[in-house]
Amino acid sequence: MREQKSYCRLCFGFCGVNVTIDDNERVVSVVGDHDNPATQGYACVKGLELPSALYGDRRLWRPLKKVDDRHEEIDLEQALDEIAQCMQGIIDQDSAQSLAFYRGTGTFGSNVAALAFPALADAVGGQRFSTMTIDQSAKWVTADRLGTWHAGKQAFEDADVWLFAGANPLVSVFSWHTPVQNPMKRLKEAKAQGLKLIVIDPRECEMAKFADIHLQIYPGEDAAVAAGLIHLVLNHNWHDAEFCAQHVEGLEQLREQVAPFTPELVAARAGIGREDLIAAAELFASQSKRGSVSTGTGVDMAPFPNLAEHLYEVLGVICGRYLREGEVLPNPGVLFSGRPPRAEVRAPKRSFEKAPRSRVRGAVRLNGESATPTLAEEILEPGPGRVRGMIVSGANPMGAIPDSDQVFKALNALDLLVVIDPFETETTRLADYVLPPKFMYEHADITFGLEMSNLSVPYAQYTPTLVDPPAQSQLCDEGYVMWALAKRLGRGLNIMGQSMAMDAPPSDDDFLSLIASRSGVSFDEIKQTAQGGKVFDLPPKHVAPAGEKAGRFAVMPEDVADDMQRYRSAEPIATTLGVNSEFGFRLIPRRIREVSNTSCRDFPSAQKRAAYNPLCIHPEDLSELGLVDRQSVTVSSDNGCINAIVKADSTLKRGVVSMTHGYGGMPGQASDYLKHGSSVSPLISLSRDCEPLQAMPRMSAIPVRIDPT
Ligand code: SF4
């Protein structure tokens, strides 16, 4: 037996762990590493139970090829030859745009995969898709329409207020701009130092329990709440007028557009107390000087996500909650260290207006990615540019994309479906080729993705390979797969702006040293000193003055004003609720600690505590419906219906029900919901009730009715 330090990569928590390995080179236990300076011993149940998954029934050990509707083993090099040949055939017959590259959050469990996969897509010229455009595309739209502050937001660590809307990082272990490593401890520390917390959520979620003000709103009414907060801030002159004069355009148009959102209107529309809204505005803008806003999927999956996301960001803008010239950056950069950022606005790029649109409903491309809600139609609709081949990395589109019947049909219509996944999923079952990669502890890695997305301390960790896969297995290195396909197709790979050598297969460390090529600390030093995680003592870096390219935030461009009008004319959700309405409840998603999106459902704790996903409902709604706890029900929307079991939950607002997404099996397994849970997918239309710009479907605040089965 031996013990080695590493870190868990199941989610962005990147918890430092001690891994025990037996004499047969098998991981036998994982515990939190109390010496890790970032996570200090914390690791959640999923990370602790990882050994059961590493060697569990769903683990895949060798490449597979579909032959006569069955998967047979195939040698990796043979599989790569055949895949490359098929890709080239599609390119020759149609174009590279007929190849789709789809990645999910699983890809980020390997930094090599996270960079090499899009690098292959770009080298080939294929269409990139990801789960980002199925749950948080509004964030990209907002950055494109509003602009961004180059030096970033003020840090959570020295904030005196923070507003979370539709975000529950204590369970999701991710939030933009706030700590993701051991978030409970970080939150308690901040609260002990006086942080005030405003939480906007239809449920008294784990985060709301720490809130100084909890606005328990109706889902889908975030735009009203954000507009109401802005209205109050501007009316009381609580905004940062000097910052606005220097960096904002459209303030008067903003003032006009939010004027109708009086506290009375917002209170009625969102189902909250007028005084609570006023108190939240005053706490955020008047009583506090530092702190900002973080939104989550609760905002971005509900109706009017682009507008709501934009307005929440604007609240931070008009209060000037950004790092200013001369301030010390919280993290000068360990694995990525560029020039000091400037105290300036990067003007709205509106790149979605310039990029080619999807042939499906004219959906825009964001950040170089096609809109995932259009993927099934991109495959099924005949015509030039039809997607015929798809490579999937770290994702389970069968479980993640709504309307699973249509997705099932689409994936079956592909000429080539390659899935890179360590585990059997609903999507691998449909694949022509399955390439299982090495999973965590079987490959080296660094915390690059964590630093690039959200890290306000100069922290990094390197993990070497801890165990080799069993001798009889043939697991792939994902970086090698991308390199080998690029080579077979006569392309190169570009990682971090550098061309990879294509003459000899790269090792993990070749990739990692390229990824760390712009680091503030040498890759060798990180390798040698940060295997247990390390906070580096780096010289301070200060925010630089604005340069000649400084732009202005566009707080109310015309298309956002159009969104405002569209929202104002929409029927308020409060008026649609009630047991006598046709669809009198609103269904929202709900994260739970035991599972992560479509992953971990087979882990022991998930099997014990969350084998299926109940329909949670307020006890008074339950009794008004004449139902009892644990009763079987049918949940119907205007798109379809599913089975569920009700569970009383007084943390929900009345009229709102919740289910965890990512459950359910293949189409046809729907009735077996005690074993697989229920997929909410049939309740969601991929083509109706969408955000027009990027075709984002309504995945929260879904109108439903509930009937006894
Ligand atoms: S929070 Fe859990 S799943 Fe996420 S990195 Fe930590 S141990 Fe792994």
Side-chain angles (χ1 to χ4, degrees):
M1 290 273 200
R2 67 180 201 278
E3 195 175 83
Q4 272 190 263
K5 290 187 185 299
S6 185
Y7 63 92
C8 176
R9 284 150 271 171
L10 272 177
C11 81
F12 267 92
F14 284 11
C15 298
V17 292
N18 286 317
V19 180
T20 304
I21 297 152
D22 71 10
D23 297 338
N24 297 317
E25 284 298 291
R26 284 169 69 99
V27 172
V28 290
S29 84
V30 175
V31 294
D33 178 7
H34 288 272
D35 297 329
N36 184 287
T39 50
Q40 297 172 315
Y42 175 75
C44 81
V45 66
K46 299 187 290 291
L48 302 181
E49 291 182 346
L50 190 87
S52 69
L54 264 181
Y55 309 111
D57 293 344
R58 281 200 313 117
R59 186 77 200 272
L60 300 168
W61 293 107
R62 296 187 65 83
L64 301 171
K65 175 185 180 180
K66 187 165 268 185
V67 180
D68 296 334
D69 274 346
R70 283 188 318 110
H71 276 137
E72 292 181 357
E73 289 183 5
I74 181 173
D75 177 73
L76 176 63
E77 296 301 323
Q78 177 66 27
L80 291 171
D81 282 343
E82 293 179 15
I83 292 165
Q85 195 178 8
C86 194
M87 289 170 74
Q88 189 61 57
I90 291 171
I91 294 169
D92 293 343
Q93 288 159 18
D94 286 299
S95 75
Q97 288 285 290
S98 291
L99 289 171
F101 294 78
Y102 180 96
R103 70 171 169 170
T105 41
T107 313
F108 294 94
S110 158
N111 280 279
V112 172
L115 274 87
F117 187 70
L120 176 66
D122 290 347
V124 170
Q127 290 193 59
R128 284 199 265 134
F129 293 83
S130 79
T131 43
M132 182 74 184
T133 56
I134 202 67
D135 62 11
Q136 296 194 70
S137 54
K139 289 191 166 55
W140 284 349
V141 172
T142 296
D144 238 13
R145 301 201 295 192
L146 174 66
T148 54
W149 185 256
H150 193 219
K153 293 182 178 182
Q154 292 170 344
F156 181 81
E157 283 76 2
D158 62 2
D160 39 34
V161 69
W162 209 272
L163 187 155
F164 287 94
N168 191 13
L170 296 182
V171 173
S172 65
V173 196
F174 187 78
S175 160
W176 303 94
H177 316 296
T178 62
V180 295
Q181 295 199 283
N182 200 345
M184 179 71 86
K185 188 169 173 51
R186 297 282 102 79
L187 177 66
K188 285 181 175 171
E189 286 169 357
K191 289 288 291 177
Q193 286 169 17
L195 176 83
K196 300 292 183 192
L197 204 59
I198 301 165
V199 174
I200 301 173
D201 200 293
R203 192 168 72 83
E204 193 194 358
C205 60
E206 288 73 1
M207 204 69 191
K209 294 188 196 310
F210 289 87
D212 295 279
I213 297 175
H214 174 206
L215 301 180
Q216 191 165 16
I217 66 168
Y218 288 123
E221 299 289 13
D222 281 281
V225 177
L229 291 170
I230 294 168
H231 169 72
L232 284 162
V233 170
L234 292 176
N235 259 16
H236 288 88
N237 286 321
W238 290 332
H239 61 296
D240 186 333
E242 196 181 323
F243 182 85
C244 290
Q246 207 177 343
H247 301 292
V248 168
E249 71 180 17
L251 196 65
E252 285 316 304
Q253 290 91 329
L254 174 70
R255 199 186 288 275
E256 270 171 40
Q257 288 290 340
V258 299
F261 290 89
T262 60
E264 293 72 26
L265 181 135
V266 175
R269 199 151 177 164
I272 55 174
R274 170 189 182 279
E275 299 306 321
D276 291 339
L277 184 79
I278 295 169
E282 188 169 10
L283 175 59
F284 185 84
S286 172
Q287 295 168 359
S288 310
K289 295 295 166 225
R290 292 185 75 85
S292 194
V293 179
S294 293
T295 57
T297 50
V299 174
D300 297 336
M301 291 165 77
F304 300 98
N306 294 349
L307 177 63
E309 184 71 38
H310 184 94
L311 293 174
Y312 277 130
E313 282 298 303
V314 164
L315 180 64
V317 167
I318 61 172
C319 294
R321 299 297 170 81
Y322 296 99
L323 291 173
R324 307 295 181 90
E325 180 183 340
E327 283 197 73
V328 175
L329 287 175
N331 181 4
V334 181
L335 283 162
F336 184 85
S337 176
R339 283 202 293 270
R342 293 186 179 279
E344 68 181 27
V345 177
R346 291 290 156 106
K349 290 188 186 138
R350 301 190 67 89
S351 51
F352 61 83
E353 291 177 332
K354 295 150 207 154
R357 291 190 171 222
S358 166
R359 67 197 189 98
V360 176
R361 290 183 272 144
V364 298
R365 288 189 184 177
L366 297 165
N367 267 8
E369 289 195 7
S370 300
T372 291
T374 66
L375 178 59
E377 290 163 271
E378 289 274 15
I379 296 167
L380 291 170
E381 271 194 19
R386 180 178 89 84
V387 169
R388 292 177 49 201
M390 182 158 83
I391 303 184
V392 176
S393 169
N396 181 11
M398 266 306 305
I401 304 178
D403 202 341
S404 48
D405 284 348
Q406 194 190 18
V407 177
F408 182 74
K409 208 169 138 196
L411 297 189
N412 276 307
L414 286 165
D415 296 334
L416 173 69
L417 175 60
V418 181
V419 181
I420 302 167
D421 202 301
F423 299 104
E424 186 185 15
T425 68
E426 290 81 7
T427 306
T428 60
R429 280 181 219 146
L430 303 179
D432 298 301
Y433 296 90
V434 183
L435 306 180
K438 291 174 183 165
F439 198 43
M440 76 174 84
Y441 310 134
E442 294 164 346
H443 64 84
D445 218 328
I446 46 176
T447 48
F448 179 79
L450 174 68
E451 181 164 330
M452 293 307 287
S453 63
N454 191 355
L455 192 60
S456 55
V457 285
Y459 170 85
Q461 185 162 7
Y462 169 85
T463 177
T465 298
L466 265 53
V467 287
D468 288 325
Q472 68 277 21
S473 65
Q474 191 184 31
L475 302 182
C476 63
D477 292 303
E478 285 188 76
Y480 169 72
V481 167
M482 303 310 144
W483 179 90
L485 287 174
K487 187 170 173 67
R488 281 165 168 82
L489 292 164
R491 311 292 212 279
L493 274 191
N494 191 300
I495 304 285
M496 298 293 291
Q498 298 186 54
S499 300
M500 289 209 77
M502 298 303 287
D503 47 352
S507 67
D508 265 358
D509 267 12
D510 291 335
F511 272 105
L512 293 176
S513 59
L514 263 185
I515 290 169
S517 57
R518 293 161 74 180
S519 60
V521 179
S522 78
F523 179 55
D524 283 344
E525 184 182 340
I526 293 167
K527 262 180 85 171
Q528 281 160 22
T529 66
Q531 294 199 11
K534 180 176 175 180
V535 177
F536 287 83
D537 186 14
L538 300 177
K541 195 181 270 184
H542 297 85
V543 176
E548 288 174 2
K549 289 187 187 159
R552 283 174 171 265
F553 284 115
V555 291
M556 190 47 66
E558 274 179 27
D559 45 0
V560 177
D562 291 345
D563 288 349
M564 289 288 279
Q565 296 314 313
R566 203 162 47 88
Y567 174 67
R568 285 178 63 194
S569 58
E571 189 176 15
I573 282 169
T575 63
T576 66
L577 300 176
V579 291
N580 296 321
S581 297
E582 186 184 4
F583 298 109
F585 290 87
R586 292 290 173 141
L587 176 65
I588 61 171
R590 177 189 190 117
R591 289 191 186 273
I592 56 173
R593 287 198 169 91
E594 289 81 4
V595 304
S596 176
N597 298 327
T598 61
S599 306
C600 310
R601 277 167 21 211
D602 57 334
F603 283 25
S605 292
Q607 282 295 303
K608 193 169 158 199
R609 299 200 289 259
Y612 64 90
N613 50 340
L615 176 79
C616 298
I617 179 169
H618 193 281
E620 289 176 31
D621 285 334
L622 199 61
S623 92
E624 204 172 337
L625 283 166
L627 299 171
V628 294
D629 202 18
R630 308 285 162 180
Q631 186 169 341
S632 294
V633 294
T634 303
V635 186
S636 318
S637 74
D638 62 359
N639 197 65
C641 60
I642 62 172
N643 295 317
I645 290 178
V646 287
K647 182 179 174 190
D649 179 357
S650 57
T651 66
L652 280 157
K653 190 174 181 67
R654 287 205 60 187
V656 181
V657 292
S658 75
M659 282 184 90
T660 302
H661 283 213
Y663 274 77
M666 300 293 268
Q669 286 182 327
S671 60
D672 199 4
Y673 63 89
L674 278 179
K675 187 172 173 195
H676 301 286
S678 297
S679 168
V680 298
S681 172
L683 302 175
I684 302 168
S685 168
L686 267 175
S687 54
R688 281 184 290 112
D689 309 312
C690 294
E691 191 69 0
L693 193 67
Q694 75 273 33
M696 174 68 197
R698 179 178 56 192
M699 292 176 66
S700 179
I702 305 162
V704 294
R705 62 176 293 118
I706 299 157
D707 297 293
T709 301

